[in-house]
Amino acid sequence: MDLELRVNTLEKKVKDLEQQLEAILEKEKNSQAHLTLATTTPVLQAQEAMEPYSEITKQAKQSAPPKDWEYLIARVWLPRIFIVVFLLGVLWGFTAAVSAGIITEPVRCILGIAVAGFMYWQGEAQIRRSRIALGQVLLGGSSCVLIISLFAAHMLFGLIPAGLAFVLFVVSIGLSVFTALRHRSQALMIITLLAGYLVPFLVDSAKPNIWVFIGYEALFSIAMILVSFRYSFRAAYYVAIGVLHLSLLMGSLMGDGTDNRAAIIIAVILQHTLLYTLATLPSKDNTLGQRMTLFMSFGLLASWMYGLYGHSSDRITYEWMVALWSLLYSGTSYWLFSQKRSLSVHLPIATFGWFLWLIYVLKADQSAAAIVAEGAIALCLGVKLRSKLQKITGTVTYLIGMIIVLVHPIQEIFSVETFAWLALLASIGGLYSFFRVTLEESRGKLELQYILLWAELVLCLIFVTQITNVLTRALTVDYQHLVLSAVWVVYAILLIVYGLTIKKPKARLVGILFLFVTLLKIIFVDLPDVSTAIRAILFIGLGTIGVVISRILYKR
């Protein structure tokens, strides 16, 4: 009703404009100036009158058509559900006929192949009649029935030898791939992928060869990745990458006890090399997410390398493989940067690779400083290059290095732990200066600077505390508490003096807060363990310093 009313209003306004235009034409002979003025006004009014009509047109275009539930249920889901019902009925009827002795073993296999051919013929016919969903379901069912029939003829009844069965399986998979590409059906491609990976498990060989099994799986994965990449099948692309690792895992668990590590690692390296090539090619098309899959693939590669070689006697192999891949990605990152291309995934992978190498080659206490330095550099590169993945990788690496430093306290003054703490404190100061210069002025920049500044001050206090404890280890408990409290007070005084010197109220406030922290330490930590004389010295000294500082601040 609202639309009809607005259309009627629009027609009325158009008629009014026509009448006004006729009146203007009659007055044309009187004055040319009046004519110009008069003709301008109706045009503007006509434009204003047409605005409601344009808004109605836009609303009509933007309004989405109602969802056709009949089409969705009858043409999309109905064939998918009832094809399963049909197959179950056929299976039960087949089982009943076999139990009655009507159908012999060769006849069963022939019937299965015939049913597969009939379903394929009907699938093609349904697609030609524009019944796409039903046709794809029939084609997928045809592929499954054919493979099941060949499996029964080979494994259950022994009618086909292993070599011929393998060839027939490969031909069936090839036919299914051809059909999926001809109809641009990703669903059929995924079914073909899953069936193709299962082919080696469907062949019963008296002398299984691990190199043949893994070679087939690797080559099939590479071929399916290339096909999925060529036709932009996103889901099939992911399946082709992931299912290979599942097949290799199952094959390694079902192995005959021989050393299969070389075959497995070669298959994984071949797949990762292909993904590396696809992600490095100068292509702007990243619709399949090949850069992100490259990062995940490197994680799987690193897991296989560690699982196969990380715990064995020849662990040097793992170290060299990680180092070589890290060098490759570091060099690729530099080359991409020189070509002014995106290195949003290659540089994070290089960072992750060097992190794995450092944490494996060096001991935990020795690797702390190196990991902290690597994380800080990686984080700065991520900010400079505006790479979110690089920033995440650098941040995680830096936090892991910081945790390693924190869980290894200082036991000696001249030790790797002391060096790691110094590297941590220096890196926080360097990050603070870098972000202060690099980042644009924003609220996030100020919050990040405050976080780094407070982290630096707290960690400095912890570092000074550990050094003091090491130096006073030979003293009695009373003197250890006294010296440590004195050091805390001196630390707070230095902060206050620094704030007074640079005229920064916040720095002075931090020093005052540390004075109160020292007071809390004396009350809750020192009092239960020290003598009365030491308590008196602590309270007199801290009280005097507090009053003097208050007087100085009040005077200024």
Side-chain angles (χ1 to χ4, degrees):
M1 293 299 295
D2 184 44
L3 181 60
E4 294 179 358
L5 180 61
R6 299 180 71 175
V7 171
N8 292 333
T9 304
L10 180 61
E11 292 178 352
K12 185 178 179 181
K13 288 185 177 181
V14 171
K15 290 181 179 179
D16 294 339
L17 288 174
E18 290 177 353
Q19 294 176 0
Q20 293 179 16
L21 185 58
E22 292 176 358
I24 292 169
L25 292 175
E26 291 178 357
K27 296 178 181 180
E28 184 179 4
K29 298 178 181 181
N30 298 330
S31 175
Q32 185 66 26
H34 288 292
L35 174 62
T36 305
L37 180 61
T39 52
T40 304
T41 304
V43 171
L44 295 176
Q45 292 179 353
Q47 293 178 353
E48 294 176 357
M50 292 297 291
E51 288 181 359
Y53 177 76
S54 62
E55 292 178 0
I56 295 172
T57 306
K58 291 180 181 179
Q59 292 177 1
K61 291 181 179 180
Q62 292 176 357
S63 60
K67 183 175 289 187
D68 190 351
W69 289 103
E70 180 182 1
Y71 174 85
L72 185 63
I73 295 175
R75 298 191 181 184
V76 177
W77 288 108
L78 196 66
R80 297 180 182 179
I81 295 174
F82 282 90
I83 192 66
V84 177
V85 175
F86 171 76
L87 290 176
L88 288 175
V90 171
L91 179 62
W92 285 333
F94 187 80
T95 304
V98 170
S99 300
I102 300 174
I103 303 177
T104 61
E105 293 177 352
V107 174
R108 301 174 201 173
C109 300
I110 294 173
L111 284 176
I113 296 174
V115 170
F118 176 77
M119 294 177 67
Y120 185 88
W121 169 60
Q122 281 298 312
E124 292 288 348
Q126 297 300 325
I127 290 178
R128 284 194 299 269
R129 296 171 186 171
S130 300
R131 299 164 186 168
I132 306 298
L134 178 59
Q136 290 180 353
V137 168
L138 289 172
L139 291 175
S142 170
S143 177
C144 294
V145 171
L146 178 60
I147 291 175
I148 291 173
S149 301
L150 294 175
F151 170 75
H154 169 62
M155 293 284 287
L156 300 181
F157 309 138
L159 301 175
I160 303 175
L164 180 59
F166 181 78
V167 173
L168 291 176
F169 279 130
V170 173
V171 171
S172 303
I173 297 301
L175 177 62
S176 184
V177 171
F178 172 76
T179 305
L181 295 180
R182 190 157 62 91
H183 297 295
R184 297 294 191 272
S185 173
Q186 182 170 220
L188 187 57
M189 178 62 73
I190 293 176
I191 294 174
T192 306
L193 277 170
L194 297 176
Y197 279 115
L198 290 176
V199 165
F201 299 98
L202 302 178
V203 178
D204 185 17
S205 177
K207 295 181 179 180
N209 191 320
I210 189 64
W211 284 95
V212 174
F213 165 74
I214 295 179
Y216 166 80
E217 296 286 357
L219 293 178
F220 182 75
S221 172
I222 291 173
M224 292 300 99
I225 289 173
L226 290 174
V227 171
S228 302
F229 180 79
R230 169 64 179 80
Y231 291 94
S232 300
F233 290 158
R234 177 185 290 269
Y237 183 78
Y238 296 151
V239 172
I241 295 172
V243 180
L244 171 66
H245 299 275
L246 183 60
S247 302
L248 294 179
L249 181 60
M250 294 174 61
S252 62
L253 295 177
M254 297 168 59
D256 55 359
T258 58
D259 190 1
N260 306 325
R261 294 181 300 171
I264 294 175
I265 201 64
I266 288 175
V268 178
I269 288 176
L270 286 176
Q271 187 196 69
H272 184 73
T273 303
L274 174 62
L275 298 177
Y276 165 81
T277 304
L278 294 177
T280 312
L281 289 175
S283 174
K284 297 181 180 179
D285 185 14
N286 192 34
T287 56
L288 297 181
Q290 55 262 33
R291 296 192 182 101
M292 185 56 65
T293 53
L294 179 65
F295 190 90
M296 293 186 292
S297 175
F298 182 79
L300 291 171
L301 173 63
S303 301
W304 278 109
M305 290 189 299
Y306 182 77
L308 296 174
Y309 296 97
H311 300 284
S312 60
S313 57
D314 54 346
R315 52 184 293 171
I316 190 67
T317 306
Y318 171 76
E319 297 177 8
W320 275 104
M321 284 193 294
V322 174
L324 289 175
W325 280 106
S326 303
L327 283 172
L328 173 64
Y329 276 101
S330 300
T332 306
S333 301
Y334 178 77
W335 176 75
L336 291 173
F337 179 76
S338 64
Q339 298 291 320
K340 297 181 179 180
R341 290 173 52 196
S342 173
L343 51 139
S344 57
V345 68
H346 296 80
L347 187 59
I349 292 177
T351 302
F352 181 56
W354 287 120
F355 166 76
L356 293 176
W357 187 80
L358 288 173
I359 204 169
Y360 187 80
V361 173
L362 302 176
K363 295 181 180 180
D365 53 352
Q366 297 174 345
S367 63
I371 293 175
V372 165
E374 183 199 359
I377 295 173
L379 182 57
C380 292
L381 287 175
V383 174
K384 196 72 176 178
L385 300 174
R386 297 181 179 180
S387 171
K388 183 180 293 185
L389 184 58
Q390 175 65 16
K391 287 189 283 188
I392 294 174
T393 307
T395 302
V396 172
T397 304
Y398 188 80
L399 290 177
I400 292 175
M402 179 184 293
I403 292 173
I404 296 175
V405 173
L406 294 175
V407 298
H408 289 87
I410 298 175
Q411 302 295 335
E412 300 292 338
I413 297 298
F414 300 101
S415 61
V416 291
E417 291 86 0
T418 304
F419 179 75
W421 271 93
L422 292 174
L424 176 62
L425 296 175
S427 65
I428 295 177
L431 289 175
Y432 177 84
S433 302
F434 175 80
F435 292 145
R436 186 176 182 181
V437 174
T438 305
L439 296 181
E440 298 177 356
E441 293 295 335
S442 63
R443 183 178 179 181
K445 175 184 177 180
L446 295 176
E447 293 177 352
L448 182 60
Q449 288 180 339
Y450 287 146
I451 292 173
L452 292 174
L453 186 59
W454 275 102
E456 181 82 353
L457 295 174
V458 173
L459 290 175
C460 276
L461 183 62
I462 297 175
F463 174 73
V464 170
T465 301
Q466 294 187 78
I467 295 296
T468 304
N469 290 333
V470 171
L471 294 175
T472 59
R473 189 180 298 164
L475 302 177
T476 62
V477 175
D478 286 353
Y479 285 106
Q480 288 179 2
H481 284 284
L482 180 62
V483 173
L484 183 59
S485 298
V487 170
W488 281 34
V489 170
V490 171
Y491 184 73
I493 292 174
L494 290 176
L495 289 176
I496 295 173
V497 172
Y498 176 75
L500 291 172
T501 304
I502 64 173
K503 297 180 180 180
K504 292 288 186 181
K506 292 182 179 180
R508 299 195 297 267
L509 181 60
V510 171
I512 296 172
L513 290 177
F514 274 107
L515 274 181
F516 282 104
V517 171
T518 306
L519 176 61
L520 294 176
K521 171 190 173 297
I522 292 174
I523 295 174
F524 293 102
V525 178
D526 297 341
L527 288 184
D529 298 328
V530 299
S531 61
T532 305
I534 298 298
R535 294 179 187 177
I537 295 173
L538 289 173
F539 272 79
I540 291 172
L542 185 60
T544 303
I545 291 172
V547 172
V548 171
I549 290 177
S550 176
R551 175 59 181 167
I552 293 174
L553 294 175
Y554 179 78
K555 181 179 180 181
R556 293 182 66 87

